[in-house]
Amino acid sequence: MPSRPVLPSLQLPGHFAAVVADMDGLLVHTERLWLQAKLVLFGRYGVELTEADQAAVFGASDMASATYFAGRLGVAAQQVPDLRDEYLAIISDLFEHGVEPTPGAIELFERLAGTVPLALASNTRRPLVDKVLRSIPFAGHFDVIVSGDEATPKPAPDLYLLACRRLGVDPAKAVALEDSPTGVAAAKAAGLTCIGVPSDPREPLEQADLVVSSLAELL
């Protein structure tokens, strides 16, 4: 097994040349809203949402989620794009009520601003990303925003590679902040060091180089 990068201090940015963060579940408590959207969607089709269903799409892109949902809801394969649009319309309505930052998120990114380049790399599509960012006070600190409609979504490395390319930073010199195994896999595949901040205790982030309980530990 290859050795993991040495992290001399929990405090960011440390020796890293850039910080690239996920959004849902990492910076903001949107995972509960995504869960509510799933419950609404499944309820419309008269199917009970199970923990197995939630685990199956945790950290997945909207299209991957919709493809899975179609199998559970009895929707034909050719209707998956429509099912995805229905799902996204539900979550968009829920986002209208605002989102809550996770512990330490505001303080961390206000402190990081101006010290190193900052990027956001999210599987979520740009209109929804923008809607979330309008609700958080540190949105203006990101130098680059990469969304799920710009590159192949996680667990592919493409979003992280694109973020680092736009920042002009070698991925090997950047650190990613992630809350899901899917996101961690993407960051590691792109060559970044990855700090995991689990949003679901049932999903251990075993591939992460370091795991902390909240972003507040990185202050």
Side-chain angles (χ1 to χ4, degrees):
M1 177 181 296
S3 60
R4 292 185 170 185
V6 176
L7 300 174
S9 169
L10 281 182
Q11 189 176 69
L12 289 183
H15 64 281
F16 296 109
V19 177
V20 187
D22 180 45
M23 186 182 75
D24 293 291
L26 188 282
L27 297 180
V28 285
H29 284 302
T30 50
E31 290 302 324
R32 64 189 66 171
L33 298 179
W34 285 103
L35 171 58
Q36 188 176 347
K38 295 176 181 68
L39 288 167
V40 170
L41 182 68
F42 273 55
R44 289 178 179 178
Y45 290 83
V47 177
E48 180 183 359
L49 180 75
T50 67
E51 289 191 5
D53 293 326
Q54 297 176 55
V57 298
F58 183 53
S61 68
D62 53 50
M63 184 56 79
S65 297
T67 300
Y68 173 84
F69 295 159
R72 287 280 287 123
L73 303 178
V75 174
Q78 60 267 31
Q79 298 301 315
V80 168
D82 292 336
L83 186 65
R84 178 199 60 193
D85 291 345
E86 183 179 2
Y87 179 47
L88 293 180
I90 295 170
I91 192 64
S92 182
D93 288 342
L94 293 173
F95 281 177
E96 288 290 348
H97 301 291
V99 297
E100 178 189 356
T102 57
I106 294 174
E107 296 83 358
L108 177 62
F109 282 88
E110 286 183 345
R111 187 174 63 76
L112 288 174
T115 63
V116 292
L118 303 176
L120 182 73
S122 173
N123 267 356
T124 301
R125 292 176 179 271
R126 186 58 184 261
L128 291 174
V129 169
D130 288 342
K131 186 169 288 191
V132 169
L133 292 181
R134 285 195 291 270
S135 298
I136 58 178
F138 54 90
H141 296 324
F142 291 106
D143 302 288
V144 165
I145 296 172
V146 181
S147 56
D149 39 9
E150 295 185 79
T152 304
K154 307 168 189 178
D158 302 52
L159 289 172
Y160 275 105
L161 292 173
L162 180 57
C164 289
R165 185 161 62 250
R166 289 181 177 175
L167 289 175
V169 173
D170 181 351
K173 297 180 180 179
V175 62
L177 303 176
E178 275 288 353
D179 74 299
S180 72
T182 300
V184 173
K188 295 302 296 177
L192 287 78
T193 298
C194 187
I195 298 177
V197 190
S199 61
D200 186 339
R202 298 168 298 182
E203 297 286 346
L205 305 182
E206 296 176 348
Q207 292 187 56
D209 298 293
L210 175 72
V211 176
V212 296
S213 62
S214 80
L215 292 175
E217 291 188 40
L218 304 176
L219 288 168

